[in-house]
Coordinates of all heavy atoms in Angstrom, one line a residue:
E41 N -29.9 18.1 -46.2 CA -28.7 17.4 -46.2 C -27.6 18.2 -46.9 O -27.9 18.9 -47.8 CB -28.8 16.0 -46.8 CG -29.9 15.1 -46.3 CD -30.0 13.8 -47.0 OE1 -29.0 13.1 -47.2 OE2 -31.1 13.4 -47.5
L70 N -21.7 31.4 -47.4 CA -20.3 30.9 -47.3 C -19.3 31.9 -47.9 O -18.2 32.2 -47.4 CB -20.2 29.6 -48.1 CG -20.8 28.4 -47.5 CD1 -20.6 27.2 -48.4 CD2 -20.4 28.1 -46.1
G110 N -8.5 11.8 -65.1 CA -8.5 10.5 -64.4 C -7.7 10.5 -63.1 O -7.5 9.4 -62.5
D167 N 6.5 15.5 -63.1 CA 6.8 15.6 -64.5 C 7.2 17.0 -64.9 O 8.2 17.2 -65.6 CB 5.5 15.3 -65.3 CG 5.2 13.8 -65.2 OD1 6.1 13.0 -64.9 OD2 4.0 13.4 -65.5
Q177 N 17.6 13.1 -62.6 CA 18.7 12.2 -62.1 C 19.7 12.9 -61.3 O 20.2 14.0 -61.7 CB 19.4 11.6 -63.3 CG 18.6 10.5 -64.1 CD 18.5 9.2 -63.3 OE1 19.4 8.8 -62.6 NE2 17.4 8.5 -63.4
Q191 N 3.8 12.9 -49.7 CA 4.3 11.5 -49.7 C 4.3 11.0 -51.2 O 5.3 10.3 -51.6 CB 3.4 10.7 -48.9 CG 3.4 11.0 -47.4 CD 2.3 10.2 -46.7 OE1 2.1 9.0 -46.9 NE2 1.7 10.9 -45.7
H196 N 7.3 9.5 -56.2 CA 7.6 9.7 -57.6 C 9.0 10.2 -57.9 O 9.7 9.8 -58.8 CB 6.6 10.6 -58.2 CG 5.2 10.1 -58.2 ND1 4.9 8.8 -58.5 CD2 4.0 10.7 -57.8 CE1 3.5 8.6 -58.4 NE2 3.0 9.8 -58.0
G224 N 15.2 10.1 -47.5 CA 15.5 11.5 -47.5 C 15.9 12.0 -46.1 O 16.1 11.3 -45.2
L236 N 16.1 25.7 -49.5 CA 15.8 26.4 -50.7 C 17.1 26.8 -51.4 O 17.2 26.8 -52.6 CB 15.0 27.7 -50.4 CG 13.5 27.5 -50.0 CD1 12.9 28.8 -49.6 CD2 12.7 26.9 -51.2
G241 N 15.4 22.0 -57.2 CA 13.9 22.2 -57.4 C 13.1 22.0 -56.2 O 13.6 21.3 -55.2
R255 N 8.4 35.9 -49.3 CA 9.4 36.6 -50.0 C 10.8 36.6 -49.3 O 11.8 36.4 -50.0 CB 9.0 38.0 -50.3 CG 10.0 38.9 -50.9 CD 9.5 40.3 -51.1 NE 8.7 40.4 -52.3 CZ 9.2 40.6 -53.5 NH1 10.5 40.7 -53.7 NH2 8.4 40.6 -54.6
P278 N -5.1 26.6 -50.5 CA -4.5 27.9 -50.9 C -3.0 27.7 -51.1 O -2.3 26.8 -50.6 CB -4.7 28.8 -49.6 CG -5.9 28.2 -48.9 CD -5.7 26.7 -49.1
L291 N 13.6 32.9 -60.1 CA 12.6 31.9 -59.6 C 11.6 31.6 -60.7 O 11.0 32.5 -61.3 CB 11.8 32.5 -58.4 CG 10.8 31.6 -57.7 CD1 11.5 30.5 -57.0 CD2 9.9 32.4 -56.8
D297 N -2.6 25.6 -61.4 CA -3.2 25.8 -62.7 C -2.2 25.6 -63.9 O -2.7 25.5 -65.0 CB -3.8 27.2 -62.8 CG -5.1 27.4 -62.0 OD1 -5.6 26.3 -61.5 OD2 -5.6 28.5 -61.9
R347 N -52.6 5.0 -37.4 CA -53.9 5.5 -36.8 C -54.7 4.4 -36.2 O -55.3 4.5 -35.1 CB -54.7 6.2 -37.9 CG -54.1 7.6 -38.3 CD -55.2 8.4 -39.0 NE -55.7 7.8 -40.2 CZ -55.2 7.9 -41.4 NH1 -54.1 8.6 -41.6 NH2 -55.8 7.3 -42.5
Q351 N -55.8 4.0 -32.3 CA -57.3 3.8 -32.0 C -57.5 2.6 -31.1 O -58.3 2.7 -30.1 CB -58.1 3.8 -33.3 CG -58.2 5.1 -34.0 CD -58.8 4.9 -35.4 OE1 -59.4 3.9 -35.7 NE2 -58.8 6.0 -36.2
T364 N -50.9 1.2 -16.0 CA -49.8 1.9 -15.3 C -48.8 2.3 -16.5 O -48.9 1.8 -17.6 CB -49.1 1.0 -14.4 OG1 -48.5 -0.1 -15.1 CG2 -50.0 0.4 -13.3
F374 N -45.8 -4.3 -27.7 CA -46.4 -5.5 -28.2 C -47.1 -5.2 -29.5 O -47.0 -6.0 -30.5 CB -47.4 -6.1 -27.2 CG -48.2 -7.3 -27.7 CD1 -47.6 -8.5 -27.8 CD2 -49.5 -7.1 -28.1 CE1 -48.4 -9.6 -28.3 CE2 -50.3 -8.2 -28.6 CZ -49.7 -9.4 -28.7
V388 N -41.9 -5.2 -48.3 CA -40.9 -5.8 -49.2 C -41.5 -5.9 -50.6 O -40.8 -5.5 -51.6 CB -40.4 -7.1 -48.7 CG1 -39.6 -7.8 -49.8 CG2 -39.6 -7.0 -47.5

Side-chain angles (χ1 to χ4, degrees):
E41 304 180 50
L70 291 180
D167 288 341
Q177 288 286 328
Q191 294 173 43
H196 295 314
L236 287 173
R255 172 179 283 274
L291 183 73
D297 284 354
R347 285 198 304 272
Q351 288 171 11
T364 66
F374 175 75
V388 168

